Amino acid sequence: MVRIRVLVVDDHRIFAESLAAALAAEPDVDVSAAGSGPAALRCMERAVAEGRRFDVLLVDADLGTGVVVPGARAAVPVREGAEDGYVDGISLVAGVRSGQPAVRTVVLAEKDDPRRAALALQAGACGWVAKDCSLSRLLTVIRGVLKDETHLPPALLTGVLRELTAARKHRTESERLVESLTPREREVLRCMVAGLGRKAVAERLFLSPHTVRTHMQNVLGKLGVHSTLAAVALARRAGVGPVDLAGDVVERGGQLA
């Protein structure tokens, strides 16, 4: 018998243990539970090291809301902006998709939310299931996603499609605006995405602060926004990432040494 390895990730311990116990009663399911994003990532890392990868992750949509685990660090890449010690449900889905793409993820939610369901699908989830669904329904979803099926509650379909269409439209428009920038302006924008101020950008690009200020004003004007925060949000929608600051740290460290 081919066994399905499932990891339940939920910081409500009673729910996680109850669901794990119910799933473990199935003859073809092996199940474990983790109480946080970082704990789930460590569990997955150990499983890989022992040659027993998980097949499906059941992830709480509200995982880690307002909870910070001191000293915890994600074992696989997570969504940009997630802090050390904090891995929410959508970040965990994105991280698993990036680090272990063969693993299928299903989000378990207290309530239907088209916007968050769309975000979960964009992050790589294969399904969105209500926490109060029947065990038989959940097992159908688990077995279905392993056949590359996508599962959503029928009541969510219209809303999710609307959200995905809007997101695609916003991304396309954002990409068009970013393409209007000159190469130097795009470089300045990437510095802005990295959180660098005018002086730091000037030092990095070997420009005067006055020149950087002009470039930043041009970036805001061409993107049609009025603040750095809005420019950064638009850049991220367009897929513009931050400049790599890690190399700077290493280089400076070497000079200090």
Side-chain angles (χ1 to χ4, degrees), residues 58 66 74 102 135 148 172 183 195 213 256:
L58 303 179
L135 182 62
D148 292 326
T172 301
R213 179 182 180 182
L256 288 173

Side-chain angles (χ1 to χ4, degrees), residues 79-94:
R79 186 186 59 205
E80 222 172 79
E83 300 173 359
D84 288 347
Y86 177 73
V87 182
D88 64 23
I90 305 300
S91 294
L92 180 60
V93 170

Side-chain angles (χ1 to χ4, degrees), residues 140-225:
T140 296
V141 172
I142 289 173
R143 295 185 172 111
V145 297
L146 289 174
K147 300 175 184 176
D148 292 326
E149 297 173 0
T150 299
H151 286 259
L152 286 171
L156 269 184
L157 284 176
T158 300
V160 168
L161 288 175
R162 185 184 302 116
E163 291 288 339
L164 292 175
T165 300
R168 188 159 51 245
K169 179 180 178 181
H170 289 155
R171 181 178 177 88
T172 301
E173 176 65 13
S174 299
E175 288 172 342
R176 184 185 66 78
L177 290 171
V178 168
E179 287 173 0
S180 71
L181 302 179
T182 66
R184 176 62 84 184
E185 288 166 351
R186 290 185 200 178
E187 199 170 8
V188 169
L189 178 59
R190 291 186 65 213
C191 290
M192 293 164 67
V193 173
L196 299 181
R198 189 188 310 163
K199 184 178 179 181
V201 175
E203 292 176 353
R204 181 181 180 86
L205 302 182
F206 304 102
L207 300 172
S208 72
H210 175 75
T211 300
V212 170
R213 179 182 180 182
T214 299
H215 282 314
M216 286 183 167
Q217 289 175 337
N218 290 341
V219 167
L220 296 184
K222 290 183 178 181
L223 297 184
V225 296

